[in-house]
Amino acid sequence: VLRKIRYFDNLLRIDIPVIEDTITFQHFESRCLDPVWLFGLLTHISTTTDNERRNSQTLTSAYIQDAFELVTSALLPGRVLEHQKTAVSRILVEATVPDWMLAIVHANVMLNFIRGDSSLPRDISNEVDNDLRIDGQWQRIIHVDSIPLEWSVEEVNQRLVESIKTSKARVVDKDLDIWIPTTVSEVVSVEDKEGEAQDADKIQKKHCGQAFILVDCWDITVPDMDEYESRAKEEKPKPEIKEPEFWNCSVCTLENASSNDVCDACESPKPRIEMPVQEDFGEGGFNVEECLRDLEKEFANQLKKNLEDITLAKYKEGIEVRKKKEAEERKAKKQEEANQITDECLEGISAMFEGNPEENKEENSSEEKKKQEGNKEEEKKQENEEEKDKEAPKEGEEKEKKEEGEGEHKEKPEGEEENKEKQSEDAKEEDKPKEDKEDKKDKKEATGDKDAELSEEEELAKVPRCTVTFGLDILAGSSKNYFNQFLKKRLYGSEANAETMKFPDPINEIVSSIFTTAQGLSEEDLRPKVNESLEAYGITAESLKTMDLEVFRECAKLVSGEDCYLLWKLFEELGYDLWLDCARDLTGSQELFDQVSLKELLEFSEVELCNETRFVISLPSSMIRIPEFTTQKFDSKDNGIHHYYNQAATLKYNCLQEQPLKKIRYNWSVLKKFNHYLSDSINFINGIFNEGRLNSHSIPLNIPVLFSEFRGLLTKPILNEMQQRVFEKTAIPRENPPKLTMERLKISQGQTTGTSEVPGLPSGVQTTSVKVNRENRDIRTLTSKRKDEFAFIRAYEQMREINVTQLRPEKPLGTDPFICFEVIFKGEHVVGATGPYRQFLADLSAELQPSVPLNEDGQMLPQNLNLLCPTPNHREKLGNARDKFVVTPSAVSSYHLELYEFLGLLFGCCIRTGVHLTLDLPSFFWKQLSGENLTIA
């Protein structure tokens, strides 16, 4: 009844005078409601909801969901009060609605606004407007100082671009957003190859050791959400709940032990322990907004480090070049030594063969005799040394005895011990092989390399770093003049125009639009937007309403010549950013896109900007920009860095190109706020509603149908989280999963030699290829004789007696398999549970939709299950969707309906466990399954 009253209220558009102090009274009177009854209903809902939420394993009941819909219908104002921007807030406050219940009311208010039934109330409109603020753009201006002066301008620009690319910063246009101040140019004559001077001279610029960078936003498509979510959960652990040691009986007040279920005195039951209320949907301890802010700070610090280390990269390149030169020099020296050795060897060989051969023979024979005599002498010396070594220990023992007997302590002559030690060391060194000496050389070289590395580290530590400053802190330093020149260059589009202070035609039109916006506002609205410092240049809230356009341009040029920051702040307050894009509408217009454009905007934000992560829930509207429109104003090429809007996006999202940036951002802010309210209230919306019971002339007015109409505007994270929450609440603990035994070898043999029941042929004919008349191509339906030939039928026969609740397992932790049922392949040595489970579903996909059921000649191919058949476009080779399958129209028996129900059961198992069942079904199949309306393409 309340829904019908509100519908007729909006339909009739009766003008009734509204008194602001009596808005709540008039609202309840128009609904024929008693406020006392509503207050009692709110109290009842709060008590019942708290009792249900204490049980973490149950979803919100349909009773509570219907009660929420009743309260929402009672609180929503009609069109009579829509011009009162404070109507909703006043009704909610005076009706003492709990804070946790406000989300569903606000979600319905925004749904009515999107449908065009009402306007946004003031409090929600202020929240949307705050999201459109662009004052955070100043923090993304980066100043780099202490750049080496010996670098060229091109080299500095190249290194700045490399630093931006290695970070996650997005730049709209490199030529526009990267500025390197230069000094007075030097003219250098350019000579050709023959050394003659050319007519044209080359202008060589020198930079001032500074640079400015303007970052549009940060690329948030790369990070893994799981990492940040796990980090947030570690930082915010769940509180432990401890059961008290004793409990007091509510009847006799006896204190009982916690292990007693009844009172020892009066046998009253133990009271239920008050568990803490579970958090609502969307408040799972992971704050996406905080994560996004932390991520932006992390990227900003990364860019700062990259910019500080650009000088370090230059020195590293010099060290690498020096290492290469040293390695080449060492290689050349080794080659020279090798060449010398080979030359000496060749000279010796040639000298041997240049003399008389007979003389050479005599010389060789004499040398051999000398060698033999020398060998004999060496053998004799060795024998003598061995005899001396044998006699030496005896003599040493006799001398020791004499010294002990006589008790003499004589000092050894100076230097004698040192000489002996040196001789022994020399002898040891002579005895050592050459390999030890080579090892020493290698060790020396290794230690030398380490020392070189240490010296390189010390050298890099002494390299001066660049200093990086963010935002308005630049004004506090000595680079305020350069900062003013950077803003002035952006205002006039180029340095040449900035020197002559001449606006180009595109920017001149924008200045005119800014002036028109200022004159469209009242003096009260303009006064807080105009800085007091602009009064010295003739710009005030009163003068902006009276001056003409040419005077405003001259005043703007005067301000830009002395303090361009003040002029840009005025432009910012009037809704224009540093790219001179109108990013904010100050007229209070609440114009929305149509539903098709809203869906396109949602897809653009989810896919292109956030890479389908949860960041889309809190994506700031300032991150949305169409670079093509920005670069056209400044007559520059589209050469952005890490930007999301490319040529492919231009073709894909063509609806967004026709819309101004301020309208795109406003619509996104409304979409984001709608999803925010819905994420906190979707748990209290009853999604079960049978539209089939309504006739074609009925108008659905209930909340589930209205939300179903606009479900394409919900973000994927909200839908996925709601789905996972339902899975968690409906999961049932179990010890062992149901088992399913399959004999794939036997099934494959039955399919290759099975019976083909073709019209006109007797049943039971063994064939694998039978010609069929082209005029009679009706898809064959399944009969009971072919049950054992398909894995799908065998699975159905085994699982038809299993309780469906056993197929809802809890999601395991770690690497444990997540399966609804266990598949056993008989006769195959398979290890694990996940692999057979996935392979079984893949086999079913091949059975349900074979690649080619009929060939071009009309021949019947091997057995087909025929629950799904190719589309008519596939058979006729015409139109789209030739690769799709549809439900077989002739499969209408009770047995086929049971098989289709089993197929739906497998759909649920795949969705719960995240396993794919590959089926190519057309869009109208899924639309009918989800209750959407069919449309003609």
Side-chain angles (χ1 to χ4, degrees):
V1 173
L2 287 172
R3 288 197 296 263
K4 290 179 179 179
I5 293 175
R6 188 175 185 278
Y7 172 74
F8 286 116
D9 185 12
N10 296 337
L11 186 64
L12 296 176
R13 300 175 179 270
I14 302 174
D15 293 332
I16 300 175
V18 178
I19 303 174
E20 187 173 357
D21 295 337
T22 61
I23 286 178
T24 305
F25 174 77
Q26 285 184 285
H27 169 72
F28 286 120
E29 188 179 22
S30 64
R31 296 292 185 267
C32 303
L33 291 176
D34 184 3
V36 178
W37 170 83
L38 182 62
F39 299 154
L41 179 61
L42 290 173
T43 305
H44 173 68
I45 291 176
S46 300
T47 306
T48 309
T49 304
D50 289 342
N51 294 333
E52 287 189 358
R53 291 164 73 185
R54 287 190 178 92
N55 189 355
S56 60
Q57 294 300 321
T58 58
L59 293 169
T60 304
S61 64
Y63 173 76
I64 293 297
Q65 291 174 340
D66 293 340
F68 267 96
E69 184 175 357
L70 175 59
V71 171
T72 304
S73 301
L75 293 174
L76 286 178
R79 189 175 290 275
V80 177
L81 303 175
E82 71 169 348
H83 64 279
Q84 296 291 334
K85 298 295 185 180
T86 60
V88 176
S89 59
R90 289 180 66 90
I91 293 172
L92 295 178
V93 171
E94 295 180 11
T96 62
V97 179
D99 293 339
W100 58 271
M101 200 181 294
L102 296 177
I104 189 169
V105 179
H106 287 155
N108 280 272
V109 169
M110 297 210 67
L111 179 62
N112 292 330
F113 170 65
I114 294 173
R115 295 177 69 240
D117 291 342
S118 62
S119 59
L120 280 183
R122 182 175 298 175
D123 52 350
I124 299 179
S125 181
N126 291 338
E127 293 179 3
V128 172
D129 190 62
N130 289 332
D131 185 63
L132 296 173
R133 296 186 63 86
I134 56 177
D135 50 1
Q137 61 182 347
W138 298 101
Q139 192 60 27
R140 295 192 293 273
I141 297 180
I142 305 170
H143 174 234
V144 186
D145 198 359
S146 303
I147 301 175
L149 297 176
E150 60 269 16
W151 294 1
S152 63
V153 178
E154 292 77 10
E155 186 177 3
V156 174
N157 190 15
Q158 179 183 358
R159 295 193 177 278
L160 292 176
V161 171
E162 290 176 356
S163 300
I164 295 172
K165 287 182 177 180
T166 53
S167 64
K168 303 297 184 297
R170 282 175 172 167
V171 172
V172 176
D173 193 334
K174 292 184 290 186
D175 299 335
L176 178 66
D177 298 334
I178 300 177
W179 181 62
I180 304 171
T182 55
T183 57
V184 179
S185 305
E186 295 182 0
V187 180
V188 181
S189 61
V190 180
E191 297 181 354
D192 57 11
K193 295 181 180 179
E194 297 179 357
E196 298 178 357
Q198 298 179 354
D199 296 335
D201 292 333
K202 181 180 180 181
I203 299 176
Q204 185 177 3
K205 295 183 179 181
K206 291 185 178 181
H207 64 86
C208 303
Q210 303 187 42
F212 288 86
I213 303 171
L214 178 58
V215 175
D216 181 22
C217 57
W218 305 100
D219 184 7
I220 58 176
T221 61
V222 180
D224 186 7
M225 286 298 301
D226 295 336
E227 176 185 352
Y228 292 93
E229 188 169 1
S230 60
R231 187 191 306 176
K233 289 181 179 179
E234 290 177 0
E235 294 175 356
K236 298 179 180 179
K238 294 183 179 180
E240 296 182 0
I241 303 171
K242 295 182 178 180
E243 185 178 0
E245 298 181 358
F246 302 95
W247 59 274
N248 295 326
C249 179
S250 58
V251 179
C252 64
T253 67
L254 179 66
E255 191 177 70
N256 299 275
S258 60
S259 58
N260 296 346
D261 295 332
V262 295
C263 178
D264 292 336
C266 63
E267 296 186 354
S268 298
K270 178 182 177 181
R272 186 181 62 181
I273 300 175
E274 294 294 332
M275 302 294 290
V277 177
Q278 296 292 324
E279 293 178 337
D280 292 336
F281 176 78
E283 301 178 359
F286 177 63
N287 194 321
V288 182
E289 293 183 1
E290 291 182 1
C291 179
L292 185 59
R293 287 194 294 268
D294 295 341
L295 195 63
E296 290 180 355
K297 291 180 182 178
E298 181 180 334
F299 290 162
N301 293 332
Q302 182 181 356
L303 178 59
K304 180 179 180 181
K305 185 178 183 303
N306 292 342
L307 293 173
E308 289 176 346
D309 294 343
I310 57 175
T311 55
L312 193 64
K314 176 70 174 178
Y315 280 92
K316 284 183 178 180
E317 291 177 1
I319 292 172
E320 291 178 359
V321 172
R322 187 179 64 190
K323 285 183 178 180
K324 289 181 180 178
K325 288 183 179 179
E326 292 176 355
E328 291 175 356
E329 290 176 357
R330 287 195 297 269
K331 187 177 180 180
K333 287 182 181 180
K334 290 181 179 179
Q335 188 65 31
E336 290 178 0
E337 292 176 358
N339 293 335
Q340 290 178 0
I341 294 171
T342 53
D343 292 340
E344 292 176 357
C345 294
L346 292 174
E347 289 176 0
I349 293 171
S350 61
M352 290 174 61
F353 291 98
E354 285 177 359
N356 192 358
E358 294 180 355
E359 293 178 357
N360 291 334
K361 288 180 180 179
E362 291 178 358
E363 290 177 358
N364 292 333
S365 60
S366 61
E367 288 177 358
E368 289 178 357
K369 289 179 180 179
K370 289 179 180 179
K371 287 181 180 179
Q372 291 177 359
E373 291 176 357
N375 292 334
K376 289 180 180 179
E377 291 178 356
E378 288 179 359
E379 289 177 356
K380 289 180 180 180
K381 287 180 180 180
Q382 288 179 357
E383 291 177 357
N384 294 331
E385 287 177 358
E386 289 176 357
E387 291 177 357
K388 289 179 180 179
D389 291 338
K390 291 178 181 179
E391 293 176 356
K394 295 180 180 180
E395 293 177 358
E397 290 176 358
E398 292 177 357
K399 287 181 180 180
E400 287 178 358
K401 290 179 181 180
K402 288 180 180 181
E403 289 176 357
E404 290 176 357
E406 294 175 357
E408 297 178 354
H409 300 280
K410 297 181 179 180
E411 296 181 356
K412 294 184 180 180
E414 296 180 355
E416 186 175 351
E417 293 181 356
E418 294 179 359
N419 293 331
K420 287 183 179 181
E421 289 177 358
K422 287 182 180 180
Q423 290 176 1
S424 61
E425 289 178 359
D426 294 337
K428 288 180 181 179
E429 288 180 358
E430 291 176 357
D431 294 337
K432 286 182 180 179
K434 295 181 179 180
E435 295 179 356
D436 296 342
K437 295 180 180 179
E438 292 178 357
D439 293 339
K440 285 184 179 181
K441 291 181 180 179
D442 295 339
K443 290 180 180 179
K444 289 180 180 179
E445 291 178 358
T447 54
D449 294 338
K450 289 182 180 179
D451 295 337
E453 291 177 359
L454 292 174
S455 62
E456 290 173 6
E457 293 179 358
E458 294 176 356
E459 184 179 353
L460 293 175
K462 296 178 181 179
V463 174
R465 304 290 202 278
C466 294
T467 57
V468 180
T469 309
F470 282 81
L472 298 180
D473 294 339
I474 304 172
L475 297 175
S478 60
S479 302
K480 183 178 180 180
N481 187 24
Y482 288 116
F483 181 64
N484 188 57
Q485 292 181 24
F486 172 64
L487 297 178
K488 188 176 179 182
K489 170 183 173 292
R490 297 190 65 84
L491 179 63
Y492 291 96
S494 64
E495 293 185 15
N497 293 333
E499 292 177 0
T500 59
M501 300 183 71
K502 179 181 179 181
F503 291 119
D505 292 339
I507 298 179
N508 205 4
E509 295 178 1
I510 295 173
V511 174
S512 302
S513 301
I514 295 173
F515 178 72
T516 304
T517 302
Q519 288 204 327
L521 300 176
S522 62
E523 290 187 10
E524 295 180 359
D525 295 335
L526 272 176
R527 193 167 287 109
K529 301 181 184 301
V530 180
N531 195 312
E532 295 179 356
S533 302
L534 291 173
E535 187 176 356
Y537 303 96
I539 299 178
T540 61
E542 293 78 9
S543 63
L544 283 174
K545 300 291 293 184
T546 58
M547 69 173 60
D548 58 3
L549 179 59
E550 293 299 328
V551 175
F552 177 73
R553 287 175 182 166
E554 295 300 324
C555 293
K557 292 179 182 179
L558 182 62
V559 177
S560 65
E562 297 184 8
D563 193 351
C564 199
Y565 170 71
L566 292 176
L567 185 62
W568 276 107
K569 285 295 293 183
L570 177 62
F571 289 175
E572 178 187 275
E573 292 293 337
L574 295 175
Y576 287 78
D577 60 11
L578 290 173
W579 289 268
L580 290 177
D581 288 328
C582 185
R584 185 181 176 190
D585 192 357
L586 303 180
T587 60
S589 174
Q590 296 183 351
E591 186 179 358
L592 285 179
F593 295 157
D594 56 5
Q595 193 169 350
V596 176
S597 300
L598 286 174
K599 289 181 179 179
E600 188 173 295
L601 176 59
L602 180 61
E603 182 183 358
F604 172 70
S605 303
E606 281 187 333
V607 178
E608 304 297 336
L609 274 67
C610 299
N611 197 21
E612 299 184 357
T613 61
R614 291 177 60 186
F615 286 128
V616 70
I617 301 174
S618 302
L619 178 70
S621 59
S622 59
M623 284 192 175
I624 300 177
R625 187 180 302 279
I626 309 298
E628 184 180 359
F629 298 155
T630 302
T631 55
Q632 287 177 358
K633 296 193 295 288
F634 297 96
D635 192 20
S636 59
K637 298 179 180 178
D638 187 10
N639 54 355
I641 302 175
H642 286 165
H643 224 282
Y644 45 82
Y645 208 90
N646 48 25
Q647 188 65 25
T650 304
L651 299 175
K652 186 176 181 181
Y653 308 103
N654 52 1
C655 292
L656 298 181
Q657 291 189 5
E658 302 173 358
Q659 306 293 342
L661 180 62
K662 62 180 180 180
K663 192 173 179 180
I664 294 175
R665 290 189 175 182
Y666 176 77
N667 279 263
W668 170 246
S669 184
V670 170
L671 272 180
K672 186 175 66 171
K673 187 59 63 176
F674 172 64
N675 280 271
H676 171 71
Y677 287 134
L678 195 59
S679 66
D680 295 335
S681 61
I682 196 172
N683 187 38
F684 304 112
I685 298 175
N686 189 353
I688 301 175
F689 180 76
N690 186 11
E691 298 183 26
R693 63 187 179 184
L694 298 176
N695 56 45
S696 58
H697 301 288
S698 299
I699 301 175
L701 300 177
N702 62 337
I703 292 177
V705 175
L706 297 180
F707 276 106
S708 178
E709 181 183 354
F710 291 90
R711 59 181 156 186
L713 304 182
L714 303 183
T715 58
K716 291 181 180 178
I718 291 178
L719 297 176
N720 293 336
E721 287 191 24
M722 184 61 190
Q723 180 182 9
Q724 294 300 323
R725 188 174 185 273
V726 172
F727 288 161
E728 293 176 0
K729 297 291 186 179
T730 57
I732 296 177
R734 64 183 186 183
E735 296 182 358
N736 297 314
K739 299 186 184 300
L740 186 64
T741 304
M742 304 300 298
E743 298 181 82
R744 295 199 299 172
L745 299 177
K746 186 176 180 181
I747 292 173
S748 61
Q749 291 177 0
Q751 289 181 353
T752 55
T753 62
T755 61
S756 296
E757 299 179 8
V758 183
L761 292 179
S763 60
V765 176
Q766 301 290 330
T767 180
T768 58
S769 179
V770 181
K771 287 191 176 181
V772 182
N773 186 2
R774 289 181 179 270
E775 297 179 357
N776 188 8
R777 286 189 178 180
D778 294 337
I779 302 300
R780 296 168 296 131
T781 56
L782 187 68
T783 61
S784 59
K785 295 181 181 179
R786 298 169 55 199
K787 291 180 181 179
D788 295 337
E789 298 178 10
F790 297 98
F792 185 86
I793 306 300
R794 292 195 175 190
Y796 165 71
E797 295 295 337
Q798 294 182 48
M799 296 183 65
R800 63 190 304 178
E801 303 298 334
I802 296 177
N803 190 356
V804 179
T805 57
Q806 294 297 316
L807 301 178
R808 301 203 300 257
E810 294 179 333
K811 189 173 182 179
L813 301 176
T815 58
D816 295 338
F818 187 30
I819 56 176
C820 289
F821 51 85
E822 184 179 357
V823 180
I824 301 173
F825 289 142
K826 192 174 181 179
E828 301 181 38
H829 299 286
V830 182
V831 179
T834 306
Y837 180 73
R838 294 177 180 273
Q839 183 61 43
F840 168 72
L841 293 174
D843 295 342
L844 293 188
S845 302
E847 284 186 358
L848 289 169
Q849 51 177 43
S851 57
V852 183
L854 297 172
N855 61 17
E856 295 180 356
D857 297 333
Q859 293 180 348
M860 189 71 67
L861 296 178
Q863 301 290 1
N864 184 7
L865 187 58
N866 291 323
L867 286 176
L868 302 177
C869 65
T871 59
N873 292 356
H874 172 81
R875 295 196 299 269
E876 302 299 333
K877 308 298 182 185
L878 294 174
N880 299 325
R882 300 185 190 181
D883 58 335
K884 304 296 182 182
F885 284 74
V886 295
V887 176
T888 304
S890 57
V892 294
S893 64
S894 59
Y895 184 69
H896 286 95
L897 296 180
E898 292 178 3
L899 294 180
Y900 285 127
E901 186 177 354
F902 176 64
L903 179 59
L905 186 67
L906 294 178
F907 281 4
C909 293
C910 292
I911 294 173
R912 182 176 287 271
T913 57
V915 180
H916 296 288
L917 184 65
T918 308
L919 295 178
D920 298 320
L921 301 173
S923 59
F924 64 81
F925 175 87
W926 299 111
K927 284 186 177 181
Q928 292 183 92
L929 196 64
S930 58
E932 295 187 40
N933 296 326
L934 297 179
T935 56
I936 299 176

